[in-house]
């Protein structure tokens, strides 16, 4: 298994540009999570999906952020327009819903480092 | 969510055991205790989890206090590759609560 695959690994863009981050979860996993990590705020959950349906997007900072999961093997996180304060590492994670909910573990991707100038 | 408290940082000598503490005095009966670690420039990775009994796996051991208000992650023989930020997280087992909330963790430094 190749694990959770994220792209791009690094993105440098200018303020106002659209940014799209991509994630391929582990095959068969039915939950997908998007996290953001900054020095100031640590790891924050932005949104998560179950069976391709967004369940909780209360962590999405504002309307400039949107996430989609058109099928079980692909998700995107889009920022439009981007701002310097969006600079962070964005992680995607997936997991399988088992019978013991509390025991289920996440597998994270390597992250996408975004720099907005 | 019930919160956890961890020391900000710890140091340990290479090839010695490391005991990473975590306090979770408000833990509920349905909360699992999870540990993740984040190596430099990588995403977090799962280490171990438990509910009531002590647990062992190839990476570490988890010792859970009898009252479950604290736990300790034990690395039996630390190597330089164990230098990371270690997160202690409570995971509600009630279906529908899928959030895994990370705190600030403990930054472990291994001294050669």
């Amino acid at each position: 298994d190749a694990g959770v695959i994220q792209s791009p690994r690094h993105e440098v863009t200018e303020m106002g540009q659209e940014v799209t981050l991509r994630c391929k979860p582990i095959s068969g996993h039915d939950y997908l999570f998007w996290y953001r990590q900054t020095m100031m705020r640590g790891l924050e959950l932005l949104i998560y999906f179950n069976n391709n349906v967004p369940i909780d997007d209360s962590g999405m900072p504002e309307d400039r952020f949107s996430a989609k999961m058109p099928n079980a093997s692909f998700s995107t996180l889009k920022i439009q327009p981007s701002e310097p304060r969006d600079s962070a590492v964005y992680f995607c994670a997936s997991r399988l819903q088992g019978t013991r909910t509390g025991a289920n573990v996440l597998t994270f991707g390597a992250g996408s480092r975004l720099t907005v100038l | 969510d019930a919160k956890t408290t961890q020391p900000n940082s710890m140091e340990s000598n290479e090839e010695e055991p490391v005991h990473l503490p975590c306090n979770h005095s408000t833990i509920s009966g349905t909360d699992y205790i999870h540990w993740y670690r984040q190596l430099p420039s990588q995403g977090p990775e799962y280490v171990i989890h438990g509910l009531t009994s002590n647990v062992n796996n190839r990476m570490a051991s988890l010792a859970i206090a009898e009252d479950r208000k604290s736990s300790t992650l034990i690395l039996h023989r630390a190597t330089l590759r164990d230098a990371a930020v270690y997160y202690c997280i409570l995971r509600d087992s009630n279906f529908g609560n899928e959030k895994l909330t990370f705190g600030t963790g403990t930054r472990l430094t291994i001294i050669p």
Side-chain angles (χ1 to χ4, degrees), chain B residues 53-108:
Chain B
S53 304
N54 294 344
V55 184
N56 299 296
N57 67 20
R58 63 175 181 82
M59 290 181 70
S61 295
L62 177 60
I64 301 173
E66 195 168 334
D67 63 6
R68 300 209 324 127
K69 294 185 176 182
S70 65
S71 61
T72 302
L73 179 71
I74 302 166
L75 307 179
H76 294 286
R77 191 166 169 270
T79 70
L80 295 178
R81 288 173 294 180
D82 291 320
V85 177
Y86 286 79
Y87 299 96
C88 170
I89 304 161
L90 298 184
R91 176 77 173 87
D92 190 347
S93 62
N94 287 317
F95 183 74
N97 187 349
E98 305 300 335
K99 293 183 178 182
L100 201 64
T101 303
F102 287 77
T104 54
T106 296
R107 182 175 298 277
L108 176 64

Side-chain angles (χ1 to χ4, degrees), chain A residues 9 31 33 35 37 43 45 48 56 58 91 95 97 100-106 108-110, chain B residues 32 34 36 38 41-44 46 49 87 91-102:
Chain A
R9 290 296 312 277
Y31 279 87
F33 301 77
Y35 282 84
Q37 186 172 38
L43 269 163
L45 176 63
Y48 75 89
D56 188 336
S58 59
F91 290 103
R95 73 166 179 80
Q97 175 64 36
R100 295 182 300 143
T101 302
N104 299 329
V105 302
L106 292 180
F108 282 79
Chain B
Y32 279 78
H34 282 238
Y36 284 73
Q38 187 171 19
S41 300
Q42 296 189 26
Y46 166 78
H49 75 274
Y87 299 96
R91 176 77 173 87
D92 190 347
S93 62
N94 287 317
F95 183 74
N97 187 349
E98 305 300 335
K99 293 183 178 182
L100 201 64
T101 303
F102 287 77

Side-chain angles (χ1 to χ4, degrees), chain B residues 3-72:
Chain B
K3 294 192 182 297
T4 63
T5 304
Q6 300 177 254
N8 288 332
S9 62
M10 290 183 63
E11 288 185 350
S12 180
N13 293 320
E14 193 178 10
E15 299 186 3
E16 290 188 356
V18 181
H19 290 233
L20 296 164
C22 181
N23 287 320
H24 28 79
S25 58
T26 60
I27 191 170
S28 74
T30 55
D31 285 336
Y32 279 78
I33 303 160
H34 282 238
W35 284 82
Y36 284 73
R37 72 178 185 180
Q38 187 171 19
L39 302 172
S41 300
Q42 296 189 26
E45 66 173 344
Y46 166 78
V47 177
I48 199 167
H49 75 274
L51 183 61
T52 57
S53 304
N54 294 344
V55 184
N56 299 296
N57 67 20
R58 63 175 181 82
M59 290 181 70
S61 295
L62 177 60
I64 301 173
E66 195 168 334
D67 63 6
R68 300 209 324 127
K69 294 185 176 182
S70 65
S71 61
T72 302

Side-chain angles (χ1 to χ4, degrees), chain A residues 6-32:
Chain A
Q6 293 188 245
S7 65
R9 290 296 312 277
H10 301 273
E11 173 95 2
V12 180
T13 190
E14 293 189 346
M15 183 173 62
Q17 296 298 306
E18 178 179 293
V19 173
T20 299
L21 308 178
R22 298 172 178 79
C23 175
K24 176 178 168 51
I26 291 175
S27 177
H29 281 193
D30 51 359
Y31 279 87
L32 184 140

Side-chain angles (χ1 to χ4, degrees), chain A residues 4-111:
Chain A
V4 176
I5 300 173
Q6 293 188 245
S7 65
R9 290 296 312 277
H10 301 273
E11 173 95 2
V12 180
T13 190
E14 293 189 346
M15 183 173 62
Q17 296 298 306
E18 178 179 293
V19 173
T20 299
L21 308 178
R22 298 172 178 79
C23 175
K24 176 178 168 51
I26 291 175
S27 177
H29 281 193
D30 51 359
Y31 279 87
L32 184 140
F33 301 77
W34 282 100
Y35 282 84
R36 176 174 69 174
Q37 186 172 38
T38 61
M39 289 292 291
M40 291 294 294
R41 300 175 67 90
L43 269 163
E44 304 173 276
L45 176 63
L46 300 178
I47 185 172
Y48 75 89
F49 296 80
N50 176 220
N51 291 323
N52 314 335
V53 176
I55 303 300
D56 188 336
D57 64 355
S58 59
M60 296 285 263
E62 49 197 275
D63 291 345
R64 297 184 298 107
F65 285 69
S66 62
K68 295 182 179 180
M69 193 164 185
N71 57 63
S73 59
F74 184 65
S75 177
T76 60
L77 178 67
K78 187 173 293 187
I79 308 171
Q80 167 63 19
S82 59
E83 297 182 3
R85 59 189 168 131
D86 302 330
S87 298
V89 181
Y90 291 82
F91 290 103
C92 176
S94 70
R95 73 166 179 80
L96 179 65
Q97 175 64 36
T99 55
R100 295 182 300 143
T101 302
N104 299 329
V105 302
L106 292 180
T107 301
F108 282 79

